Amino acid sequence: MEDTPLRPGQHDEVARSVQYERSPGDDQPWTHVAEPLQPGFRVNQVRRVVRELLETALFILLIFFIVRGMVQNFKIEGSSMEPTMHSGQYILVNKLVYFHFDLNAPLRLMPGQEDLPQRIIYPFHQPRRGDIVVFEYPNDVAKDYIKRVIGLPGDSVEIRDGKVFVNGQELAQPYLGGASTYCMINSACQTGPLVVPEGHLFVMGDNRANSSDSREWGPLAFERVVGKAWFVYYPLSEWGLVPHYDYASLADAHQPPAELAFEP
């Protein structure tokens, strides 16, 4: 008898099914013919690998930007902070410690509130006297400078007889190694006490004879401050925390406005 002809499409079904080359016998094992891979299987595998690689790359970038937003590395160039810090040192700068925001910023989006004044809040603390800070040079923001905070907003800073006075009190500065402080020629500090404006700092390098600082170009705006010099990581012989000095005698001489800073 002749074989029954296959229905249309039945040949394809048979081709896709598991086939055997011969019938099983007592002395012959089953011979299995594997089903061929679907055409899109390899493409899907490649797509899955590419997707996983992209997700990993995006995750690494996200972590990088988060860390970069909190800590940044800098190289010290120049001798303006001698003898405290030296040219060629690599440091980490804590950018998170001076994090701040304007409490009234969302309110200014409301109709009629465009002229609402700023209320700047520092969840941790604003820069303090004695902090060594990295900032954008006011006359060229492409350059980063490093100096020490001497005066806070509202402080009266005066330089006379080679000494520094803040709010009428002489500033103890053992980190200078006995060096004197003088004003630059034709600078504002030569005319008498200088009151630091709100939202600004008075900064100076520890190498007073070789430092471009607030004596030359005036008070530094808060928004120019990048962060607080925190850690020296190279050279390894100088590895450790950046030294900080507290002016205990001035602790109560001036308190910043409550809206400018608070600590949890």
Coordinates of all heavy atoms in Angstrom, one line a residue, residues 40-113:
G40 N 16.2 33.2 16.0 CA 16.4 34.4 16.9 C 17.0 34.1 18.2 O 17.2 35.0 19.0
F41 N 17.3 32.8 18.5 CA 17.9 32.5 19.8 C 19.2 33.2 20.0 O 19.4 33.8 21.1 CB 18.0 31.0 19.9 CG 18.6 30.5 21.2 CD1 17.9 30.4 22.4 CD2 20.0 30.2 21.3 CE1 18.4 30.0 23.6 CE2 20.5 29.8 22.5 CZ 19.8 29.7 23.6
R42 N 20.1 33.1 19.1 CA 21.5 33.7 19.3 C 21.4 35.2 19.4 O 22.1 35.8 20.1 CB 22.4 33.3 18.1 CG 23.8 33.6 18.3 CD 24.7 33.1 17.1 NE 24.5 31.7 17.0 CZ 25.2 30.8 17.7 NH1 26.1 31.2 18.6 NH2 25.0 29.5 17.5
V43 N 20.5 35.8 18.6 CA 20.3 37.3 18.7 C 19.8 37.7 20.0 O 20.3 38.7 20.6 CB 19.3 37.7 17.6 CG1 19.0 39.2 17.7 CG2 19.8 37.4 16.2
N44 N 18.9 36.9 20.6 CA 18.4 37.2 22.0 C 19.5 37.1 23.0 O 19.5 37.9 24.0 CB 17.2 36.3 22.3 CG 16.0 36.6 21.5 OD1 15.8 37.7 21.0 ND2 15.1 35.6 21.3
Q45 N 20.3 36.1 22.8 CA 21.4 36.0 23.8 C 22.4 37.2 23.7 O 22.8 37.7 24.7 CB 22.2 34.7 23.4 CG 21.5 33.4 23.8 CD 21.7 33.2 25.3 OE1 20.9 33.7 26.1 NE2 22.6 32.4 25.8
V46 N 22.7 37.6 22.5 CA 23.6 38.8 22.4 C 22.9 40.0 23.0 O 23.6 40.8 23.7 CB 23.9 39.0 20.9 CG1 24.6 40.3 20.7 CG2 24.7 37.9 20.3
R47 N 21.6 40.2 22.7 CA 20.9 41.4 23.3 C 20.9 41.3 24.8 O 21.1 42.4 25.4 CB 19.5 41.4 22.8 CG 19.3 41.8 21.3 CD 17.9 41.7 20.9 NE 17.7 42.1 19.5 CZ 16.6 42.1 18.8 NH1 15.5 41.5 19.4 NH2 16.5 42.5 17.6
R48 N 20.8 40.2 25.4 CA 20.8 40.1 26.8 C 22.2 40.4 27.4 O 22.3 41.1 28.4 CB 20.4 38.7 27.3 CG 20.3 38.5 28.8 CD 19.5 37.3 29.2 NE 19.8 36.1 28.5 CZ 19.1 35.5 27.6 NH1 17.9 36.0 27.2 NH2 19.5 34.4 27.0
V49 N 23.2 39.9 26.8 CA 24.6 40.3 27.2 C 24.9 41.8 27.1 O 25.4 42.4 28.0 CB 25.6 39.5 26.4 CG1 27.0 40.0 26.8 CG2 25.5 38.0 26.7
V50 N 24.5 42.4 26.0 CA 24.7 43.8 25.8 C 23.9 44.6 26.8 O 24.4 45.6 27.4 CB 24.2 44.2 24.4 CG1 24.2 45.8 24.2 CG2 25.2 43.6 23.3
R51 N 22.6 44.2 27.1 CA 21.8 44.9 28.1 C 22.5 44.8 29.5 O 22.5 45.8 30.2 CB 20.4 44.3 28.2 CG 19.5 45.1 29.1 CD 18.1 44.6 29.0 NE 17.9 43.2 29.5 CZ 17.6 42.2 28.7 NH1 17.4 42.4 27.4 NH2 17.5 41.0 29.2
E52 N 23.0 43.7 29.9 CA 23.6 43.5 31.2 C 24.9 44.4 31.3 O 25.2 45.0 32.3 CB 24.0 42.0 31.4 CG 22.7 41.2 31.6 CD 23.1 39.7 31.8 OE1 24.3 39.4 31.6 OE2 22.1 38.9 32.1
L53 N 25.7 44.4 30.2 CA 26.9 45.3 30.2 C 26.5 46.8 30.3 O 27.1 47.5 31.1 CB 27.6 45.1 28.9 CG 28.4 43.7 28.8 CD1 29.0 43.6 27.4 CD2 29.4 43.5 29.9
L54 N 25.5 47.2 29.6 CA 25.0 48.6 29.7 C 24.5 48.9 31.1 O 24.8 50.0 31.7 CB 23.9 48.9 28.7 CG 24.4 49.0 27.2 CD1 23.1 49.1 26.3 CD2 25.3 50.1 27.1
E55 N 23.8 48.0 31.7 CA 23.3 48.2 33.1 C 24.4 48.3 34.1 O 24.4 49.2 35.0 CB 22.3 47.1 33.5 CG 21.0 47.1 32.8 CD 20.1 45.9 33.1 OE1 20.7 45.0 33.7 OE2 19.0 45.9 32.7
T56 N 25.4 47.5 33.9 CA 26.6 47.5 34.8 C 27.4 48.8 34.6 O 27.8 49.5 35.6 CB 27.6 46.4 34.5 OG1 26.8 45.1 34.7 CG2 28.8 46.4 35.4
A57 N 27.5 49.3 33.4 CA 28.2 50.5 33.1 C 27.5 51.7 33.7 O 28.1 52.6 34.3 CB 28.4 50.7 31.6
L58 N 26.2 51.7 33.6 CA 25.4 52.8 34.1 C 25.4 52.8 35.6 O 25.5 53.9 36.3 CB 23.9 52.7 33.7 CG 23.6 53.0 32.2 CD1 22.2 52.7 31.8 CD2 24.0 54.5 31.9
F59 N 25.5 51.7 36.3 CA 25.6 51.6 37.7 C 26.9 52.1 38.2 O 27.0 52.9 39.2 CB 25.4 50.1 38.2 CG 25.5 49.9 39.6 CD1 24.5 50.3 40.5 CD2 26.7 49.3 40.1 CE1 24.7 50.1 41.9 CE2 26.8 49.2 41.5 CZ 25.8 49.5 42.4
I60 N 28.0 51.8 37.5 CA 29.3 52.3 37.8 C 29.4 53.8 37.7 O 29.9 54.5 38.6 CB 30.4 51.6 37.0 CG1 30.5 50.1 37.3 CG2 31.8 52.2 37.2 CD1 31.4 49.3 36.4
L61 N 28.8 54.3 36.6 CA 28.8 55.8 36.4 C 28.0 56.5 37.5 O 28.4 57.5 38.0 CB 28.2 56.1 35.1 CG 29.1 55.9 33.8 CD1 28.3 56.1 32.6 CD2 30.3 56.8 33.9
L62 N 26.9 55.9 37.9 CA 26.1 56.4 39.0 C 26.8 56.5 40.3 O 26.8 57.5 41.0 CB 24.8 55.6 39.2 CG 23.8 56.1 40.3 CD1 23.3 57.5 40.0 CD2 22.7 55.1 40.4
I63 N 27.5 55.4 40.6 CA 28.3 55.4 41.9 C 29.4 56.4 41.8 O 29.7 57.1 42.8 CB 28.9 54.0 42.1 CG1 27.8 53.0 42.4 CG2 29.9 54.0 43.3 CD1 26.9 53.3 43.6
F64 N 30.1 56.5 40.6 CA 31.1 57.5 40.4 C 30.7 58.9 40.7 O 31.3 59.7 41.4 CB 31.7 57.4 39.0 CG 32.7 58.5 38.6 CD1 34.0 58.4 39.1 CD2 32.3 59.6 37.9 CE1 34.9 59.4 38.8 CE2 33.2 60.6 37.6 CZ 34.5 60.5 38.0
F65 N 29.5 59.3 40.1 CA 29.0 60.7 40.3 C 28.6 60.9 41.7 O 28.7 62.1 42.2 CB 27.9 61.0 39.3 CG 28.4 61.2 37.9 CD1 28.1 60.3 36.8 CD2 29.3 62.2 37.6 CE1 28.5 60.5 35.5 CE2 29.7 62.4 36.3 CZ 29.4 61.6 35.3
I66 N 28.0 59.9 42.4 CA 27.6 60.1 43.8 C 28.8 60.4 44.6 O 28.9 61.3 45.4 CB 26.8 58.9 44.3 CG1 25.5 58.8 43.6 CG2 26.7 58.9 45.8 CD1 24.7 57.6 43.9
V67 N 29.9 59.5 44.4 CA 31.1 59.7 45.2 C 31.8 61.0 44.9 O 32.3 61.7 45.7 CB 32.1 58.5 45.0 CG1 33.4 58.8 45.6 CG2 31.5 57.2 45.5
R68 N 31.8 61.4 43.6 CA 32.4 62.6 43.1 C 31.7 63.8 43.7 O 32.3 64.9 44.0 CB 32.3 62.7 41.6 CG 33.1 63.8 41.0 CD 34.6 63.5 41.0 NE 35.4 64.5 40.3 CZ 36.7 64.5 40.2 NH1 37.4 63.6 40.8 NH2 37.3 65.4 39.5
G69 N 30.4 63.7 44.0 CA 29.6 64.8 44.6 C 30.0 64.9 46.1 O 29.6 66.0 46.6
M70 N 30.6 64.0 46.7 CA 30.9 64.1 48.1 C 32.4 64.3 48.4 O 32.7 65.0 49.3 CB 30.5 62.8 48.8 CG 29.0 62.5 48.8 SD 28.5 61.1 49.8 CE 29.2 59.8 48.9
V71 N 33.2 63.7 47.6 CA 34.7 63.8 47.8 C 35.4 64.0 46.4 O 34.9 63.4 45.4 CB 35.2 62.5 48.4 CG1 36.7 62.6 48.6 CG2 34.6 62.3 49.8
Q72 N 36.4 64.8 46.4 CA 37.1 65.1 45.2 C 38.6 65.2 45.5 O 39.0 65.7 46.5 CB 36.6 66.3 44.5 CG 37.1 66.6 43.1 CD 36.4 67.7 42.3 OE1 35.4 68.2 42.8 NE2 37.0 68.2 41.2
N73 N 39.4 64.7 44.5 CA 40.9 64.8 44.7 C 41.4 66.0 44.0 O 41.0 66.5 43.0 CB 41.5 63.5 44.3 CG 41.4 63.3 42.8 OD1 40.3 63.5 42.2 ND2 42.5 63.0 42.1
F74 N 42.5 66.6 44.7 CA 43.2 67.8 44.1 C 44.7 67.6 44.4 O 45.1 66.9 45.3 CB 42.7 69.1 44.8 CG 41.3 69.5 44.4 CD1 40.2 69.1 45.1 CD2 41.1 70.4 43.4 CE1 38.9 69.5 44.7 CE2 39.9 70.8 43.0 CZ 38.8 70.4 43.7
K75 N 45.4 68.3 43.5 CA 46.9 68.3 43.7 C 47.2 69.8 44.0 O 46.8 70.7 43.4 CB 47.6 67.9 42.4 CG 49.1 68.0 42.5 CD 49.8 67.7 41.2 CE 51.3 67.8 41.3 NZ 52.0 67.5 40.0
I76 N 48.0 69.9 45.1 CA 48.5 71.2 45.5 C 49.7 71.7 44.7 O 50.6 70.9 44.5 CB 48.9 71.2 47.0 CG1 47.7 70.9 47.9 CG2 49.5 72.6 47.4 CD1 48.0 70.8 49.3
E77 N 49.5 72.9 44.1 CA 50.6 73.4 43.3 C 50.9 74.8 43.8 O 50.1 75.7 43.9 CB 50.2 73.5 41.8 CG 50.0 72.1 41.2 CD 49.6 72.2 39.7 OE1 49.3 73.4 39.3 OE2 49.5 71.2 39.1
G78 N 52.2 75.0 44.2 CA 52.6 76.3 44.8 C 52.9 76.2 46.2 O 52.6 75.2 46.9
S79 N 53.4 77.3 46.8 CA 53.8 77.2 48.2 C 53.0 78.1 49.1 O 53.5 78.5 50.2 CB 55.3 77.7 48.2 OG 55.5 79.0 47.7
S80 N 51.8 78.5 48.7 CA 51.0 79.5 49.5 C 50.6 79.0 50.8 O 50.2 79.8 51.7 CB 49.8 80.0 48.7 OG 48.9 79.0 48.6
M81 N 50.6 77.6 51.0 CA 50.2 77.1 52.3 C 51.3 76.5 53.1 O 51.1 75.8 54.1 CB 49.1 76.0 52.1 CG 47.7 76.5 51.8 SD 47.0 77.6 53.1 CE 46.8 76.4 54.4
E82 N 52.5 76.8 52.7 CA 53.7 76.4 53.5 C 53.7 77.2 54.9 O 53.2 78.3 54.9 CB 55.0 76.8 52.8 CG 55.2 76.0 51.5 CD 55.7 74.6 51.7 OE1 55.9 74.2 52.9 OE2 55.9 73.9 50.7
P83 N 54.1 76.5 56.0 CA 54.6 75.2 56.1 C 53.6 74.1 56.4 O 54.0 73.0 56.6 CB 55.6 75.4 57.3 CG 54.9 76.3 58.2 CD 54.2 77.3 57.2
T84 N 52.3 74.5 56.4 CA 51.3 73.5 56.7 C 51.1 72.4 55.6 O 51.1 71.2 55.9 CB 49.9 74.2 56.9 OG1 50.1 75.2 57.9 CG2 48.9 73.2 57.4
M85 N 51.0 72.9 54.4 CA 50.9 72.0 53.2 C 51.9 72.3 52.2 O 52.3 73.5 52.1 CB 49.4 72.0 52.7 CG 48.4 71.9 53.8 SD 46.7 71.6 53.2 CE 46.9 69.9 52.6
H86 N 52.2 71.3 51.3 CA 53.3 71.5 50.4 C 52.9 71.2 49.0 O 52.0 70.4 48.7 CB 54.5 70.5 50.8 CG 54.7 70.5 52.3 ND1 55.2 71.5 53.0 CD2 54.5 69.5 53.2 CE1 55.3 71.2 54.3 NE2 54.9 70.0 54.4
S87 N 53.6 71.9 48.1 CA 53.4 71.7 46.6 C 53.7 70.2 46.3 O 54.6 69.6 46.8 CB 54.3 72.6 45.8 OG 54.0 72.4 44.5
G88 N 52.8 69.6 45.4 CA 53.0 68.2 45.0 C 52.2 67.3 45.9 O 52.1 66.1 45.5
Q89 N 51.6 67.7 47.0 CA 50.7 66.8 47.7 C 49.4 66.6 47.0 O 48.8 67.5 46.3 CB 50.4 67.4 49.1 CG 51.5 67.4 50.1 CD 51.1 67.9 51.5 OE1 50.4 68.9 51.5 NE2 51.7 67.4 52.5
Y90 N 48.8 65.4 47.1 CA 47.5 65.1 46.6 C 46.6 64.9 47.8 O 46.9 64.2 48.8 CB 47.5 63.8 45.8 CG 48.2 63.9 44.5 CD1 49.6 63.9 44.3 CD2 47.4 64.0 43.3 CE1 50.2 64.0 43.1 CE2 48.0 64.1 42.1 CZ 49.4 64.1 42.0 OH 50.0 64.2 40.7
I91 N 45.5 65.6 47.7 CA 44.5 65.6 48.9 C 43.1 65.3 48.4 O 42.8 65.4 47.2 CB 44.5 67.0 49.6 CG1 43.9 68.1 48.6 CG2 45.9 67.4 50.1 CD1 43.7 69.4 49.3
L92 N 42.3 64.8 49.4 CA 40.9 64.6 49.2 C 40.2 65.8 49.8 O 40.5 66.2 51.0 CB 40.4 63.3 49.8 CG 41.0 62.0 49.2 CD1 40.5 60.8 49.9 CD2 40.7 61.9 47.7
V93 N 39.2 66.3 49.1 CA 38.4 67.4 49.6 C 37.0 66.9 49.9 O 36.3 66.3 49.1 CB 38.4 68.6 48.6 CG1 37.4 69.7 49.0 CG2 39.8 69.1 48.4
N94 N 36.5 67.2 51.1 CA 35.2 66.9 51.6 C 34.2 67.9 51.1 O 34.2 69.1 51.6 CB 35.1 66.8 53.1 CG 33.8 66.3 53.6 OD1 32.8 66.3 52.9 ND2 33.8 65.7 54.8
K95 N 33.4 67.6 50.1 CA 32.4 68.5 49.5 C 31.1 68.5 50.2 O 30.3 69.4 50.1 CB 32.3 68.3 48.0 CG 33.5 68.4 47.2 CD 33.4 67.8 45.8 CE 32.5 68.6 44.9 NZ 32.4 68.2 43.5
L96 N 30.8 67.4 50.9 CA 29.5 67.2 51.5 C 29.4 68.1 52.8 O 28.3 68.5 53.1 CB 29.3 65.7 51.9 CG 28.0 65.3 52.5 CD1 26.9 65.6 51.5 CD2 28.0 63.9 52.9
V97 N 30.5 68.3 53.5 CA 30.4 69.0 54.8 C 29.8 70.4 54.7 O 29.1 70.9 55.6 CB 31.8 69.0 55.5 CG1 32.7 69.9 54.7 CG2 31.7 69.4 56.9
Y98 N 30.0 71.1 53.5 CA 29.5 72.4 53.3 C 28.2 72.4 52.4 O 27.8 73.4 51.9 CB 30.5 73.3 52.7 CG 31.8 73.5 53.5 CD1 33.0 73.8 52.9 CD2 31.8 73.5 54.9 CE1 34.2 74.0 53.6 CE2 32.9 73.7 55.6 CZ 34.1 73.9 55.0 OH 35.2 74.2 55.7
F99 N 27.6 71.3 52.3 CA 26.4 71.2 51.5 C 25.3 72.2 52.1 O 25.2 72.3 53.3 CB 25.8 69.8 51.5 CG 24.4 69.7 51.0 CD1 24.2 69.8 49.6 CD2 23.3 69.5 51.8 CE1 22.9 69.7 49.1 CE2 22.0 69.4 51.3 CZ 21.8 69.5 50.0
H100 N 24.7 72.9 51.2 CA 23.7 73.9 51.6 C 22.6 74.0 50.6 O 22.7 73.6 49.4 CB 24.3 75.2 51.9 CG 25.0 75.8 50.7 ND1 26.2 75.4 50.3 CD2 24.6 76.7 49.8 CE1 26.6 76.1 49.3 NE2 25.6 76.9 48.9
F101 N 21.4 74.6 51.0 CA 20.3 74.8 50.0 C 19.5 76.0 50.5 O 19.6 76.4 51.7 CB 19.4 73.5 50.0 CG 18.9 73.1 51.3 CD1 17.6 73.6 51.7 CD2 19.6 72.2 52.1 CE1 17.1 73.2 53.0 CE2 19.0 71.8 53.3 CZ 17.8 72.3 53.8
D102 N 18.8 76.5 49.6 CA 18.0 77.7 49.8 C 16.6 77.3 50.2 O 15.8 76.7 49.3 CB 18.0 78.6 48.5 CG 17.2 79.9 48.7 OD1 16.7 80.1 49.9 OD2 17.1 80.7 47.8
L103 N 16.2 77.5 51.4 CA 14.9 77.0 51.9 C 13.7 77.7 51.1 O 12.6 77.2 51.0 CB 14.8 77.3 53.4 CG 13.7 76.5 54.2 CD1 14.0 75.0 54.1 CD2 13.7 76.9 55.6
N104 N 14.0 79.0 50.7 CA 12.9 79.7 50.0 C 12.9 79.5 48.5 O 12.0 80.1 47.8 CB 13.1 81.2 50.3 CG 12.7 81.6 51.7 OD1 12.0 80.9 52.3 ND2 13.1 82.7 52.1
A105 N 13.8 78.7 47.9 CA 13.8 78.5 46.5 C 12.5 77.9 45.9 O 12.0 78.5 44.9 CB 15.0 77.6 46.1
P106 N 11.9 76.9 46.6 CA 10.6 76.5 46.0 C 9.5 77.5 46.1 O 8.6 77.6 45.3 CB 10.3 75.2 46.9 CG 11.6 74.8 47.5 CD 12.3 76.1 47.7
L107 N 9.5 78.4 47.2 CA 8.5 79.4 47.3 C 8.6 80.4 46.3 O 7.6 81.0 45.9 CB 8.6 80.0 48.7 CG 8.5 79.0 49.9 CD1 8.7 79.8 51.2 CD2 7.1 78.4 49.9
R108 N 9.8 80.7 45.8 CA 9.9 81.7 44.7 C 9.3 81.3 43.4 O 9.2 82.1 42.5 CB 11.4 82.1 44.5 CG 11.9 83.0 45.6 CD 13.3 83.6 45.2 NE 14.3 82.7 45.1 CZ 15.1 82.3 46.1 NH1 14.9 82.8 47.3 NH2 16.0 81.4 46.0
L109 N 8.9 80.0 43.3 CA 8.3 79.6 42.1 C 6.8 79.9 42.1 O 6.1 79.9 41.0 CB 8.4 78.0 41.9 CG 9.8 77.5 41.8 CD1 9.8 76.0 41.8 CD2 10.5 78.1 40.6
M110 N 6.3 80.3 43.2 CA 4.9 80.7 43.3 C 4.6 82.1 42.9 O 5.5 83.0 43.0 CB 4.4 80.5 44.8 CG 4.6 79.1 45.3 SD 4.2 79.0 47.1 CE 2.4 79.5 47.0
P111 N 3.5 82.4 42.3 CA 3.2 83.8 41.8 C 3.3 84.8 42.9 O 2.8 84.6 44.0 CB 1.8 83.7 41.2 CG 1.6 82.2 40.9 CD 2.4 81.5 42.0
G112 N 3.9 85.9 42.7 CA 4.0 87.0 43.7 C 5.2 86.8 44.7 O 5.4 87.7 45.5
Q113 N 5.9 85.7 44.6 CA 7.0 85.4 45.6 C 8.4 85.4 44.9 O 9.3 85.0 45.5 CB 6.8 84.0 46.2 CG 5.4 83.9 46.9 CD 5.4 84.8 48.1 OE1 6.3 85.0 48.8 NE2 4.2 85.3 48.4

